[in-house]
Amino acid sequence: GENVEQHPSTLSVQEGDSAVIKCTYSDSASNYFPWYKQELGKRPQLIIDIRSNVGEKKDQRIAVTLNKTAKHFSLHITETQPEDSAVYFCAASMVGSARQLTFGSGTQLTVLP
Amino acid sequence: GAGVSQSPSNKVTEKGKDVELRCDPISGHTALYWYRQSLGQGLEFLIYFQGNSAPDKSGLPSDRFSAERTGGSVSTLTIQRTQQEDSAVYLCASSPHRGAGELFFGEGSRLTVL
């Protein structure tokens, strides 16, 4: 089955700096890669996703890049703000399959004021 | 409501008791997932229902755990003979997609086993 590795497990940045979280996956058939944000005590919520037919996707201050050859994808947050502090999870799956979504272990991001 | 509903939101039980956790997914969503999240930890996959297909039970940690989904809608996660290590938040999520697409999570059921 699919295995998703996520690094780092914790990340602290100064407000205004950029943050990068990286994930690798094992199954070359995976073609859907979402990122979820979980604020303290809240439910995880989708913030951005990418499919394997594109290499990069942006939405305001967040972007995701995908390298299919190396089987890794990354989340980039620019101009970080205190409200970006949360746990971020990457995941991998395959469009149209019955295979379940496999999550990484999470990254606790802390944005220091 | 329009979102995924879970009940109870909090459950405190004694070791050895059985508990049932309920998930009411968004109407029309064919996929339903159960995850477990221990304090400060990641999302541990438990079980996945997709339409009328046989569920993927590969994440259930022991035979004390079982889940069913009646009529393709409401799901119940049952933990028999609870142990202290079962204490966690149990999250349910549903999706209209097959294998990929946004998961909509419930608020979770916090289980504490004394």
Side-chain angles (χ1 to χ4, degrees):
Chain A
E2 176 65 277
N3 183 50
V4 178
E5 302 273 348
Q6 183 171 349
H7 301 280
S9 57
T10 61
L11 178 61
S12 292
V13 299
Q14 290 295 137
E15 183 176 357
D17 287 352
S18 295
V20 180
I21 302 170
K22 299 181 179 181
C23 289
T24 60
Y25 60 99
S26 61
D27 189 344
S28 57
S30 290
N31 57 11
Y32 174 69
F33 308 94
W35 287 87
Y36 284 79
K37 175 183 181 182
Q38 186 178 29
E39 297 178 10
L40 187 63
K42 301 287 184 64
R43 68 186 86 186
Q45 292 189 298
L46 179 72
I47 55 171
I48 194 167
D49 57 13
I50 190 169
R51 303 206 172 191
S52 61
N53 57 342
V54 297
E56 184 176 8
K57 184 176 179 180
K58 290 184 179 180
D59 183 2
Q60 300 183 339
R61 295 187 298 107
I62 60 173
V64 56
T65 59
L66 171 66
N67 183 325
K68 287 191 296 182
T69 303
K71 290 190 284 189
H72 68 69
F73 56 112
S74 301
L75 178 71
H76 305 252
I77 306 174
T78 58
E79 301 171 22
T80 53
Q81 301 169 4
E83 53 264 38
D84 295 330
S85 296
V87 178
Y88 292 81
F89 294 97
C90 63
S93 185
M94 188 162 62
V95 175
S97 80
R99 198 183 72 195
Q100 49 101 350
L101 193 63
T102 302
F103 282 90
S105 54
T107 297
Q108 172 69 62
L109 173 65
T110 303
V111 179
L112 304 169
Chain B
V4 176
S5 177
Q6 289 189 245
S7 61
S9 55
N10 277 286
K11 175 72 175 179
V12 180
T13 190
E14 293 180 347
K15 177 182 173 182
K17 300 281 190 181
D18 297 353
V19 296
E20 285 190 351
L21 307 176
R22 176 187 168 105
C23 174
D24 203 340
I26 294 172
S27 178
H29 282 196
T30 57
L32 187 148
Y33 299 77
W34 283 98
Y35 290 90
R36 179 168 71 175
Q37 189 171 35
S38 301
L39 187 62
Q41 301 300 307
L43 297 168
E44 178 188 2
F45 167 73
L46 297 177
I47 189 168
Y48 164 47
F49 296 90
Q50 174 60 59
N52 295 321
S53 302
D56 177 354
K57 303 180 181 180
S58 61
L60 294 178
S62 77
D63 58 9
R64 296 187 296 105
F65 288 73
S66 63
E68 62 178 21
R69 188 178 185 191
T70 54
S73 181
V74 172
S75 177
T76 302
L77 177 69
T78 301
I79 310 172
Q80 296 179 309
R81 304 181 302 282
T82 52
Q83 303 295 311
Q84 288 185 330
E85 59 263 29
D86 299 336
S87 296
V89 175
Y90 290 81
L91 287 164
C92 175
S94 70
S95 173
H97 307 286
R98 181 177 174 85
E102 183 173 2
L103 295 191
F104 295 83
F105 283 86
E107 296 282 4
S109 291
R110 180 176 297 279
L111 175 65
T112 303
V113 182
L114 302 177

